Structures are given as structure tokens and as C-alpha cells.
Amino acid sequence: MLSGKNIVVGVTGGIAAYKAADVVSRLKKQGANVYVIMTEHSTKFVQPLTFQSISQNYVVTDMFEDPKTWDVEHISLAKRADLFLIVPATANIIGKVANGIADDMLTTTLMATLAPVYFALAMNTKMYENRIMQSNVKKLTDYGYQMILPESGRLACGDVGAGKLANPELIVQTVIDHFARPKPLSGKRILITAGPTREAIDPVRYITNHSSGKMGYAIAEKAVSQGAQVTLISGPTQLTPPVGVHYIPVVSTKDMFDAVMENLDVDVIIKAAAPADYKVVNYSSEKIKKNDAVMSMDFEKNPDILKRVGELKKHQILVGFAAETQNVEAYAKKKLIEKNLDFIVANDVTVKNAGFDVDTNIVTIYDKNGKTDAYDCMEKSEVALIILDKVAQKLQEK
Ligand code: PMT
């Protein structure tokens, strides 16, 4: 069932490290190519030779040793992996990855990979329940990392509670389920824009809007999990790009325009960003002094990125958003036609729990074929799934 899949198993230093040998053996029996990276601590519990014998591949332990083969160099494993499985995942590895620490072979490889990563958690109950640990788990989950939660039971330290490594059979089943999950966007290239843009007034000030990037990032994350190759072009936000996306940060609308134009060779383009429509005419290279009681400024129009893409598009499915405060239907339908879109996602940004900087949205989708679908309030991740379902349908119809 895992025939030909390249799975990198990271073994970290916990008593459950010996169970990782069973996991590797089961993965091999399913036909996977397994590459094991051990942390230094884990080698105190199990010998690398054990994993080498079972995986039939050289086991990497030390970042600085002479490579036995260049194929095991960390960037090469990071690229080759179809999936990473960290088993057992201790509080230490969770803390390191959650905080961007890359100081050994396993953490540098994890930092460099775009493959999905599963952590099979195992640790003492008190460590597991520790709020720092729980907040690190949440942080990683928000980034798109997957957790295989520990079971409750009697732990090696004598404590009773949650923290016991999940059954190896269940861990391997999770990996099998991952690959068995339908991936309707497999192989499709999707360009997504998200967040606001900023237009500088002087070196210390800019104009922008309330977009947090949550809507666009949710679409990017779900698209990756459905097998798409995702490029995310984003204005400045507080969010971390989902694992697995090719991320291009931009600042101004002109930057976003240029980045989009350079990345048009895709199957689908979804424009969830809120680019500033205007920029100041005369940028002041010095800080503007507050001398006058009233100050005025001239603005000029920024390029309309979506409109330009609509003019240039060939085979691409093009999805736009409409952020409105009144006449939502009329304005959204106008944009649908004027910008040559396949469908448009309209949201009234004055409504509670919809639009800017909230985790939920209330949208109506207008299709170029005249179909209208109105949805109740739901998480932006659910809105993302609805949008991607429609995209998958459109791709199928082609
Ligand atoms: O980021 P969040 O906090 O999660 O908020 C989500 C959102 C409200 C930003 C999102 O749901 C949304 O509505 N995005 C579109 C915002 C917007 O700019 O809407 P608009 O109606 O002004 O623009 C219409 C379309 O043209 C949009 O797809 C927009 O990306 C695009 N556009 C707009 C201006 C411009 N210069 N170039 C563009 O491509």
C-alpha cells in the first residue's frame, strides 16, 4: 500500500524509541522506502544498526560526519521525502521545531522539507500536559503539522496518564490513510494571493487595510492537503505560511502584481488578497513633519491585478473575491464579468464574524454560469474547502 513512497522516520530520544523499530519494519512490509534519521539522544536507547538492518538504508545520526553517500545529505532527504514521521516525538523535538531551532540532522532536514510531517507524541504525562508543550503542539498544528496523539496508560516512568506512544499499527495506518485520502487537486498548480498590501507614504508611514491573510492562508493550507502545488503570494501578515507552500512575500500592490505576473503558469489562480487600490502620488523620502492642521495627499490608482490576469488568462481557472459593504450581489456580479472570472466569492465585510481578521466568514459564491450558492457562517478553513471543491469540479469539466 505504500509501495514506492519515500518515508523519512525521525527517531528522537525517548524510551519509546525501541517501538520505532516496529514502525519502520511495518512501513517496509507495506513497500515503503524508509530512511531513518536518529537524534544523538535516541542512540542512547537504540543502536543505529537496528534501524539500518530493518530499513536496509544507511541511518543518519551526525550532521557533520562524512556522508556515506550524498543521497543522505539533509537537503536531499528533505526533497525526496513523500512524508516525514517522527516517532517517538518528545517534548524536546516539538519545542525545537515549534521555535525554529535547527541544530542537528533531524531538525535541519525538517526545516528544509515541504513534505507533510507527522509527529507521534510520546512523553511523561506531566510533560505532555505542560502548557508550554500544549501551546507548541497548537502552534505546529496551526502551521499544518500533523499530530498522532499519545494513548493513556501506565508509562515507563511509572506515572499513569496520557503520554504513551500510539500503537505502531495505528501509526502505520495513519500513514497509509494519508496516502489513501482522495487528493482531488493532485498535481495541480495553484497560485493564491492573500493578505493586505502596504503603500508607503514616507519612511515611517503607510496606508493599508484590515486583511489578516487568514482567508487566503486557509485556502493555501487546504490546497496543499489536497495534493496541489501551491504558490502563496502574500502581503505582510502575522501568519506563518502553511507547511508545503512556495511562499513569496510582497509589500505593495505593485510588488504583488509583479509576483503574480511571474507566476501565471499555473492551473488555478485564487485571489483572496486585499491589495490597496491606490498609492500616494508623491512618496516623501523624508519623514513628513506635522506642521499643518490639515494635510492632503494625492493618490493614484494601483494596477488591478485580477483584471489583468482575467485579460491574460488562457486555460486557468480564475477565482476572485469581492469585499463589499453594500449592494454585495450587484457589485460581485459586476466584478465576475468585468474581471473574466470563473466564479467570485463575495463577503459583506460589515457583517459580524465575516470578512476581515476573523476566523470565520459568511460568503455567497456567484458562478459565471449563473449559479449562486449562499452559505451560513463557518470557519474560513471550511470556506476554503468549498472553494476548492468548486475548483476541482471546474478542472474536471475542462
Ligand atoms: O485576510 P482576511 O482577514 O482573512 O480577510 C479576508 C478578506 C475579506 C480579505 C477576503 O475574504 C476578501 O474578500 N478578499 C478580497 C478583498 C478585496 O480586495 O476585494 P475587492 O472587492 O476590493 O477586490 C476584488 C478582487 O480583485 C479581489 O479578488 C482582489 O484580490 C482583487 N484585486 C483588488 C484590487 C487590486 N488592485 N487588484 C486585485 O487583484
Side-chain angles (χ1 to χ4, degrees), residues 14-286:
I15 183 64
Y18 77 94
K19 293 188 187 167
D22 187 11
V23 171
V24 170
S25 166
R26 287 170 187 268
L27 291 171
K28 283 292 290 179
K29 281 184 192 145
Q30 293 290 331
N33 305 317
V34 185
Y35 303 89
V36 177
I37 304 176
M38 297 181 75
T39 63
E40 197 189 331
H41 288 162
S42 75
T43 62
K44 309 281 182 218
F45 293 92
V46 190
Q47 289 293 314
L49 187 59
T50 306
F51 289 106
Q52 191 167 307
S53 309
I54 302 173
S55 70
Q56 291 162 353
N57 275 317
Y58 180 72
V59 173
V60 191
T61 51
D62 180 356
M63 192 157 59
F64 298 107
E65 72 183 324
D66 277 344
K68 298 283 177 292
T69 143
W70 284 109
D71 284 355
V72 297
E73 184 233 350
H74 77 106
I75 296 297
S76 146
L77 275 182
K79 276 192 191 153
R80 186 188 304 174
D82 294 308
L83 183 141
F84 267 74
L85 177 63
I86 313 305
V87 52
T90 57
N92 188 43
I93 188 79
I94 294 294
K96 276 184 172 182
V97 179
N99 290 287
I101 296 170
D103 63 352
D104 62 8
M105 191 66 171
L106 181 58
T107 45
T108 48
T109 313
L110 278 172
M111 191 71 95
T113 193
L114 291 180
V117 179
Y118 282 74
F119 290 97
L121 303 172
M123 66 200 70
N124 165 273
T125 303
K126 292 285 178 289
M127 288 171 90
Y128 181 60
E129 289 169 351
N130 186 301
R131 280 189 299 166
I132 300 171
M133 167 68 194
Q134 287 303 321
S135 112
N136 284 338
V137 165
K138 166 140 190 359
K139 196 168 165 189
L140 289 177
T141 310
D142 288 347
Y143 290 167
Y145 292 93
Q146 308 284 335
M147 299 292 151
I148 302 175
L149 295 181
E151 293 174 359
S152 286
R154 189 180 168 76
L155 307 182
C157 57
D159 283 3
V160 176
K164 199 169 170 238
L165 184 75
N167 190 322
E169 200 179 335
L170 186 141
I171 294 174
V172 173
Q173 191 56 49
T174 306
V175 174
I176 293 170
D177 290 349
H178 172 90
F179 289 109
R181 217 180 290 150
K183 296 215 165 40
L185 298 173
S186 187
K188 297 295 174 199
R189 293 162 307 157
I190 303 193
L191 174 63
I192 297 165
T193 68
T197 59
R198 281 181 191 168
E199 301 300 338
I201 297 170
D202 67 15
V204 296
R205 304 175 180 100
Y206 55 81
I207 52 168
T208 188
N209 57 60
H210 297 293
S211 172
S212 63
K214 287 180 180 180
M215 190 65 249
Y217 280 54
I219 302 169
E221 189 190 327
K222 291 298 174 197
V224 169
S225 72
Q226 295 193 6
Q229 291 168 34
V230 177
T231 298
L232 175 64
I233 299 174
S234 172
T237 74
Q238 300 295 315
L239 306 177
T240 304
V243 176
V245 306
H246 171 49
Y247 177 64
I248 304 177
V250 295
V251 178
S252 68
T253 296
K254 173 71 169 64
D255 296 341
M256 188 174 273
F257 179 86
D258 291 342
V260 168
M261 291 305 141
E262 278 168 28
N263 287 280
L264 278 183
D265 184 18
V266 289
D267 303 296
V268 180
I269 300 163
I270 304 177
K271 287 221 75 256
D277 287 319
Y278 287 87
K279 65 176 178 183
V280 292
V281 173
N282 294 313
Y283 168 78
S284 165
S285 56
E286 302 298 337

